[in-house]
Amino acid sequence: MNKEEKDLNKMRLNKAVALSGISSRRGADDLIKAGRVKVNGRVITDLSFKVSSDDEIMVDNKDASSKELKYILLNKEKGYITTVKDELNRKTIYSLLPEKYKNLKPVGRLDRDTEGLLILSNDGDFINRVIHPKNKVSKTYMVCLDGDFNTKVINYIKSKLKSGIQLDGALRKADSIKEIASSGSYKAKQCIFEIVIHEGINRQVRRMFQAVGYTVSSLKRTKIGSISLSSISREKYKEIEKN
């Protein structure tokens, strides 16, 4: 590749750092301004600085050269935690993945008792877009409750969650909520709801239902935005391409 071709293929340093999966584009700006990024051994603080594929990029002395972007869908089972390592030696989601995917980061989390869709990626910008509440990317859950249910109770639950619950100093609302099943009878001992939210504070769905007097007996995330579990079996994964 000659000099002219290299110049045409150069990109801004913040984009190159983001493509490594270390941070989002905005986070990369902060790293650069803080003097934590080196290009070919030299600290660069100029946000307009451009790099090519031949340049060696280091962040905090760790390799941050651009890598091929990967996107994995994982159907998490109960009992796995969303972390790389656990001091209590509990099972982690990374035990379900081949070694080549161990550098991917979860796009949001699921607690140990929640199953369903997880996306993992090394695309920092993509991760930030999905998890930031301002972008209002929807997350869809199937929620199973045990208890005594009738039409009045079901309507009360839906009304309260749509109007909002105070959690962590803010009003958290369901974008939508509907009853899926209630054991096929007017007076039921179990009810299943589909709820859609766009935030993702710690154990949000469980805490919203708890606030109206019900403990979630099972919880499964089925969609993130337009991406669904589709036909992925429990504890299985597949690689996808970003649209």
Side-chain angles (χ1 to χ4, degrees):
M1 183 182 293
N2 60 37
K3 184 179 184 301
E4 288 77 13
E5 290 173 324
K6 283 184 179 180
D7 288 343
L8 286 173
N9 284 284
K10 282 189 172 184
M11 68 176 72
R12 290 174 69 99
L13 180 56
N14 64 348
K15 181 178 180 180
V17 172
L19 288 176
S20 74
I22 285 178
S23 72
S24 65
R25 192 87 62 93
R26 183 173 296 177
D29 285 345
D30 293 336
L31 291 170
I32 294 166
K33 288 187 287 187
R36 296 167 60 185
V37 180
K38 293 180 181 179
V39 178
N40 301 326
R42 183 164 61 96
V43 173
I44 302 296
T45 56
D46 179 3
L47 296 180
S48 65
F49 191 85
K50 290 189 175 183
V51 294
S52 71
S53 58
D54 294 333
D55 291 318
E56 180 189 65
I57 304 169
M58 305 288 286
V59 176
D60 294 334
N61 295 317
K62 294 180 181 179
D63 182 24
S65 301
S66 296
K67 301 175 179 66
E68 181 182 2
L69 297 180
K70 296 283 187 180
Y71 308 87
I72 298 295
L73 305 186
L74 173 67
N75 189 347
K76 176 188 172 296
E77 177 62 286
K78 290 181 183 179
Y80 292 88
I81 58 174
T82 313
T83 187
V84 177
K85 294 181 181 179
D86 179 61
E87 59 185 18
L88 300 178
N89 204 31
R90 293 172 295 183
K91 295 184 293 186
T92 80
I93 58 169
Y94 291 93
S95 65
L96 302 172
L97 298 171
E99 187 65 33
K100 65 179 180 178
Y101 296 136
K102 296 298 175 70
N103 67 313
L104 303 184
K105 296 180 181 180
V107 184
R109 294 177 178 268
L110 292 177
D111 64 52
R112 186 183 183 189
D113 296 324
T114 301
E115 59 185 304
L117 177 62
L118 269 175
I119 305 175
L120 296 97
S121 180
N122 58 353
D123 183 341
D125 278 346
F126 171 75
I127 293 172
N128 190 56
R129 284 198 303 274
V130 173
I131 66 176
H132 203 294
K134 74 175 183 181
N135 296 318
K136 297 187 176 181
V137 176
S138 63
K139 289 89 176 175
T140 305
Y141 295 83
M142 299 293 287
V143 184
C144 183
L145 306 179
D146 295 325
D148 294 317
F149 298 94
N150 55 39
T151 301
K152 183 177 179 180
V153 170
I154 290 169
N155 288 339
Y156 166 77
I157 292 171
K158 292 192 291 186
S159 174
K160 288 291 288 184
L161 297 193
K162 280 197 272 188
S163 61
I165 301 294
Q166 282 288 336
L167 294 175
D168 295 350
L171 194 65
R172 315 291 180 175
K173 298 181 180 181
D175 296 342
S176 67
I177 180 171
K178 61 183 179 181
E179 175 199 0
I180 300 299
S182 55
S183 301
S185 64
Y186 180 75
K187 291 185 177 181
K189 293 297 183 182
Q190 186 180 78
C191 191
I192 300 173
F193 291 92
E194 180 185 84
I195 184 171
V196 180
I197 61 173
H198 65 268
E199 298 170 301
I201 65 170
N202 186 40
R203 298 173 69 86
Q204 179 174 342
V205 173
R206 293 181 185 277
R207 292 166 65 194
M208 289 175 72
F209 279 95
Q210 188 174 21
V212 294
Y214 286 89
T215 299
V216 173
S217 57
S218 68
L219 181 61
K220 182 176 184 177
R221 185 160 65 196
T222 57
K223 291 180 69 177
I224 298 175
S226 61
I227 301 173
S228 70
L229 270 178
S230 186
S231 59
I232 307 172
S233 302
R234 288 181 176 179
E235 300 188 11
K236 300 298 183 182
Y237 67 90
K238 73 175 180 180
E239 187 170 340
I240 63 169
E241 293 183 2
K242 192 178 76 169
N243 294 331

